[in-house]
Amino acid sequence: MEKIKILIIEDNDDIRESTSEILMLAGYEVLQAKNGKQGVELAIKYIPDIILCDIMMPELDGYGVLYLLSKREETSLIPFIFITAKADRAEIRRGIEMGADDYLTKPFDDIELLNAIEGRLKKKEHQKKFYSSNSEQMDHLFQPVNGLDELKKSFDDRKIKILKKKQIIYAEGDTANTVYLILSGSVKTTKMTEDGKELMTCVYYPDEYFGITSLFTGREYKETAEVLEDAALRSIPREELDQLVCKYPDVAEKFIKILAQSVVNHEQQLLHLAYFSVRKRMAEILSKLYQAHSETGNFEISRENLASMAGMAIETVSRILGDFKEEGLIDRNAGRITILDITRLQKMKN
């Protein structure tokens, strides 16, 4: 095992030799320098584990030694202990501000010397372990990760739940302990206004997650989730999601993007409610529903759900749908809507 290397920079021969003898008896390897200039040269050449340095020396004093070594990357972190015959407050403060780690006042005994050395070496070892641990974490952070594969596996390992239309998955105020993934069908989330009206906050389709916002913002679901079209779902518990998010940066990034998009969508919804005409709002909603059912171009949805999504009265929904049908934009039969002219609808919403 390689010995710990200590550099003593001291112009007093007796003090330097006696200190060196004590340290060698304690099992350390010792380097000696008679002045500051020689001390800097030895420190750069041998990179000691710790430096003991007198302050008052010819050619280059202890402050100069500390300054020069602190400017070099390879020597800047070496523990540095001043040894001085006088240690008034101003002198100590100056050394500490420059980066000295400790002071020993002459004359010092064997125990003081060895305690000071051991204390600095323990701190250095602790710092080394700390930065090594952080470095390993950073290395792991930038290594190729397969967190999204683990996320998929977590859901794939769970049993598929088949739910019928209008079935409640969770209610506003329930404990938020699960995140859901839609395999087929669709799910709506709603909130009740103070006057008892239902406002639809979002509609989720296959391959989309829901329940996320509540899991990351508190302990209760912020809305009610209800099956809009017969759905197949998988879910994982909150604890498992927390572990995946903490362990895998790509999983955390995925859900941050989902949360950010949710904020954007809600902002747009508020703007539409505030500034869009009822015709524009309905055109916007029908366009979104068409995108989710682009393969068939038609979908089944009740007037109540459309009213909840648009934030308008059911009677208003009926009137606008009637107008759209007369204008050749849609066809409507027994609650099923077929989009006949998506281009005109999209132009209307824009």
Side-chain angles (χ1 to χ4, degrees):
M1 183 177 179
E2 189 176 350
K3 287 186 177 181
I4 292 171
K5 195 181 302 176
I6 299 176
L7 170 61
I8 303 173
I9 309 172
E10 169 64 68
D11 63 328
N12 185 298
D13 294 341
D14 292 337
I15 295 176
R16 188 179 66 254
E17 291 294 343
S18 62
T19 304
S20 176
E21 186 178 348
I22 294 169
L23 294 175
M24 285 191 290
L25 288 171
Y28 298 113
E29 179 182 345
V30 180
L31 302 170
Q32 297 185 44
K34 296 180 180 181
N35 56 58
K37 183 180 177 183
Q38 187 183 36
V40 170
E41 292 171 351
L42 288 175
I44 294 170
K45 183 177 181 180
Y46 295 103
I47 312 297
D49 295 292
I50 196 165
I51 296 173
L52 298 174
C53 184
D54 189 19
I55 292 179
M56 303 303 294
M57 293 182 295
E59 296 193 50
L60 184 66
D61 67 11
Y63 298 122
V65 173
L66 178 58
Y67 176 80
L68 291 175
L69 294 181
S70 67
K71 295 301 179 182
R72 301 180 69 93
E73 183 178 355
E74 66 271 26
T75 57
S76 61
L77 298 179
I78 298 174
F80 198 98
I81 300 175
F82 274 130
I83 48 178
T84 179
K86 57 173 185 176
D88 58 38
R89 178 176 293 182
E91 190 176 68
I92 292 175
R93 182 173 181 178
R94 181 184 176 189
I96 296 299
E97 288 176 348
M98 290 182 65
D101 295 281
D102 204 350
Y103 264 85
L104 278 174
T105 304
K106 303 173 187 177
F108 47 81
D109 60 29
D110 301 2
I111 300 301
E112 286 179 290
L113 174 63
L114 294 175
N115 283 341
I117 296 290
E118 289 174 8
R120 290 302 106 196
L121 290 174
K122 284 181 180 179
K123 184 174 181 180
K124 182 181 179 181
E125 184 63 25
H126 177 74
Q127 290 174 333
K128 184 179 178 181
K129 289 180 180 179
F130 175 78
Y131 289 118
S132 175
S133 174
N134 281 357
S135 177
E136 289 175 2
Q137 291 178 18
M138 290 300 292
D139 289 343
H140 173 73
L141 183 63
F142 292 105
Q143 287 175 355
V145 292
N146 59 348
L148 295 179
D149 291 338
E150 291 299 317
L151 177 66
K152 182 178 183 303
K153 184 176 183 297
S154 293
F155 278 99
D156 289 346
D157 289 343
R158 298 285 170 167
K159 184 179 179 181
I160 296 176
K161 299 177 182 178
I162 305 298
L163 302 178
K164 294 296 183 180
K165 182 178 178 180
K166 294 188 177 182
Q167 189 169 344
I168 300 297
I169 302 167
Y170 58 76
E172 184 175 353
D174 287 350
T175 301
N177 53 15
T178 308
V179 63
Y180 296 87
L181 172 65
I182 301 181
L183 304 179
S184 64
S186 60
V187 171
K188 69 174 183 177
T189 53
T190 60
K191 289 185 71 70
M192 296 298 293
T193 62
E194 292 183 357
D195 57 356
K197 292 182 179 179
E198 183 185 84
L199 178 64
M200 192 179 300
T201 55
C202 196
V203 177
Y204 298 92
Y205 295 100
D207 297 324
E208 293 185 335
Y209 302 88
F210 66 95
I212 299 169
T213 304
S214 299
L215 259 68
F216 285 104
T217 57
R219 291 289 170 180
E220 296 180 348
Y221 287 114
K222 308 299 181 183
E223 71 285 300
T224 296
E226 179 184 331
V227 178
L228 191 59
E229 300 171 300
D230 290 356
L233 312 175
R234 278 194 171 110
S235 64
I236 61 173
R238 179 191 199 115
E239 295 76 15
E240 191 167 338
L241 179 64
D242 286 344
Q243 291 174 6
L244 290 168
V245 168
C246 291
K247 186 175 181 180
Y248 298 106
D250 55 342
V251 175
E253 180 184 11
K254 180 180 182 68
F255 284 104
I256 288 171
K257 287 180 178 178
I258 292 174
L259 291 172
Q261 188 60 51
S262 175
V263 171
V264 171
N265 292 342
H266 286 142
E267 287 178 347
Q268 290 178 343
Q269 186 179 21
L270 289 172
L271 288 171
H272 292 172
L273 289 173
Y275 298 110
F276 274 28
S277 68
V278 289
R279 281 176 61 88
K280 269 192 174 186
R281 275 147 58 186
M282 186 55 64
E284 168 82 12
I285 290 165
L286 292 177
S287 296
K288 287 183 177 179
L289 290 170
Y290 174 82
Q291 290 173 2
H293 300 83
S294 57
E295 292 182 0
T296 61
N298 64 78
F299 45 86
E300 186 176 348
I301 189 166
S302 67
R303 292 183 307 157
E304 290 79 8
N305 280 327
L306 284 173
S308 178
M309 293 174 75
M312 60 181 72
I314 296 175
E315 294 77 10
T316 305
V317 171
S318 297
R319 176 173 55 81
I320 295 172
L321 291 179
D323 291 344
F324 284 0
K325 185 174 181 179
E326 289 182 6
E327 294 167 24
L329 298 173
I330 67 169
D331 186 27
R332 185 163 179 263
N333 184 23
R336 180 166 290 277
I337 295 175
T338 301
I339 304 298
L340 302 178
D341 196 336
I342 186 60
T343 302
R344 287 172 59 197
L345 273 177
Q346 291 175 336
K347 285 181 178 179
M348 185 185 300
K349 77 181 180 66
N350 293 329

